[in-house]
């Protein structure tokens, strides 16, 4: 919602804004394709490029995931917070009476029930997709303290930043750089992997034998090296 509102404020005369405005005035839900297009534009802004971004509660369906993937929008880390329906309603009630609330939100008890139902209906396929394709899905207990959750989220992002930094450092000096943990999909890796490079050269130096790593699906032993990828 915030991304759509921000886009319409920053680009009031764009064709996309006019198209979304037509749907909103008609009282219908915005098509996913328009929402993702607006999201892409906002993510290209200087603020998102320099400070990063957090997608709260999105994507919700596999259709939204596919639209984002087509535009190369791949979340670096996804954090799923597990909460009981009772706790969700309790927190929703507390939020509705919060003095810090600035905008009216769709979080009444009936709407929360609808959203919980949608979540339960779609979460398995969405979770399975990201676990299989990018291995970036993390599950945390939502009933823990906000300090504990903040610390866990910070740890995940720090580890991700270290992984990306290590990759860039290795590539800069021309060394083989591990792509494990960089959200590279199996298909992308397979398309760039040279068949003869599915053998582990490190084992040749240490044990005087080549080990076949083609069975390894986690990319734990996969590295990028000019001009291709070795696994």
């Amino acid at each position: 919602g915030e991304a759509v509102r921000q886009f319409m404020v920053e680009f009031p005369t764009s064709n996309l804004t006019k198209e979304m405005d037509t749907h909103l005035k008609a009282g219908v839900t915005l098509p996913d394709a328009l929402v993702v297009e607006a999201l892409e534009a906002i993510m290209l802004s200087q603020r998102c490029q320099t400070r990063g971004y957090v997608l709260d509660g999105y994507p919700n369906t596999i259709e939204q995931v596919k639209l984002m993937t087509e535009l190369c929008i791949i979340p670096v880390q996804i954090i799923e917070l597990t909460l009981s329906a009772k706790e969700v309603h309790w927190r929703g009630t507390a939020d509705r009476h919060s003095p810090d609330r600035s905008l009216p939100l769709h979080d009444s008890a009936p709407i929360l029930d609808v959203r919980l139902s949608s979540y339960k209906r779609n979460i398995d396929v969405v979770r399975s997709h990201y676990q299989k394709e990018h291995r970036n899905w993390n599950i945390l207990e939502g009933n823990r303290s906000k300090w504990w959750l903040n610390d866990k989220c910070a740890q995940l992002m720090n580890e991700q930043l270290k992984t990306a930094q290590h990759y860039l450092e290795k590539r800069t000096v021309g060394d083989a750089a591990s792509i494990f943990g960089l959200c590279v999909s199996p298909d992308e890796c397979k398309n760039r992997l040279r068949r003869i490079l599915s053998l582990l050269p490190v084992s040749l130096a240490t044990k005087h034998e080549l080990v076949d790593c083609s069975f390894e699906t986690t990319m734990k032993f996969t590295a990028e090296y000019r001009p291709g990828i070795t696994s």
Side-chain angles (χ1 to χ4, degrees):
E2 286 187 26
V4 170
R5 285 193 292 270
Q6 184 178 343
F7 179 88
M8 296 181 73
V9 169
E10 295 186 6
F11 307 97
T13 61
S14 69
N15 291 332
L16 179 57
T17 294
K18 295 176 181 178
E19 192 172 355
M20 290 192 294
D21 190 53
T22 300
H23 284 83
L24 293 173
K25 288 181 178 178
V28 297
T29 303
L30 287 176
D32 289 334
L34 299 183
V35 174
V36 174
E37 190 176 344
L39 177 62
E40 180 193 28
I42 291 300
M43 290 175 60
L44 292 175
S45 66
Q46 183 178 4
R47 181 180 182 182
C48 288
Q49 291 292 310
T50 56
R51 300 179 60 183
Y53 62 91
V54 174
L55 299 181
D56 185 7
Y58 199 88
N60 297 304
T61 67
I62 192 62
E63 290 75 18
Q64 294 169 353
V65 171
K66 291 178 179 177
L67 287 169
M68 290 174 58
T69 303
E70 288 176 1
L71 296 178
C72 298
I73 303 176
I74 309 297
V76 175
Q77 290 288 347
I78 298 177
I79 299 172
E80 178 186 358
L81 300 179
T82 58
L83 278 176
S84 66
K86 181 179 179 180
E87 180 70 13
V88 170
H89 279 285
W90 184 88
R91 294 190 182 192
T93 301
D95 287 343
R96 286 194 295 274
H97 294 87
S98 173
D100 299 327
R101 191 181 182 108
S102 57
L103 292 172
L105 302 176
H106 297 294
D107 59 355
S108 64
I111 290 179
L112 287 178
D113 282 332
V114 171
R115 296 180 68 179
L116 281 170
S117 176
S118 175
Y119 165 79
K120 293 177 181 178
R121 186 170 59 253
N122 294 291
I123 187 60
D124 288 340
V125 64
V126 173
R127 183 194 299 120
S128 176
H129 171 85
Y130 280 113
Q131 287 177 334
K132 178 183 177 182
E133 293 296 319
H134 305 292
R135 300 159 303 282
N136 58 350
W137 194 279
N138 306 276
I139 300 177
L140 300 179
E141 299 175 23
N143 58 355
R144 302 293 291 266
S145 72
K146 60 182 179 181
W147 295 279
W148 184 89
L149 289 171
N150 181 72
D151 183 61
K152 286 295 182 181
C153 292
Q155 288 180 21
L156 288 172
M157 293 312 303
N158 285 335
E159 291 174 3
Q160 185 68 39
L161 289 172
K162 290 179 181 178
T163 298
Q165 184 177 9
H166 182 263
Y167 168 82
L168 291 174
E169 289 175 349
K170 289 292 185 179
R171 291 286 291 161
T172 299
V173 298
D175 291 342
S178 172
I179 62 173
F180 180 66
L182 294 180
C183 298
V184 178
S185 70
D187 286 342
E188 181 183 355
C189 179
K190 185 178 180 179
N191 290 336
R192 299 173 60 189
L193 182 65
R194 294 157 63 184
R195 185 172 59 86
I196 62 172
L197 295 181
S198 61
L199 301 176
L200 186 62
V202 175
S203 63
L204 181 62
T206 59
K207 300 180 180 180
H208 306 291
E209 63 180 359
L210 285 172
V211 178
D212 183 8
C213 292
S214 59
F215 65 89
E216 178 60 57
T217 60
T218 65
M219 300 186 197
K220 184 176 180 180
F221 305 114
T222 306
E224 183 176 3
Y225 185 72
R226 298 187 184 92
I229 289 180
T230 178
S231 179

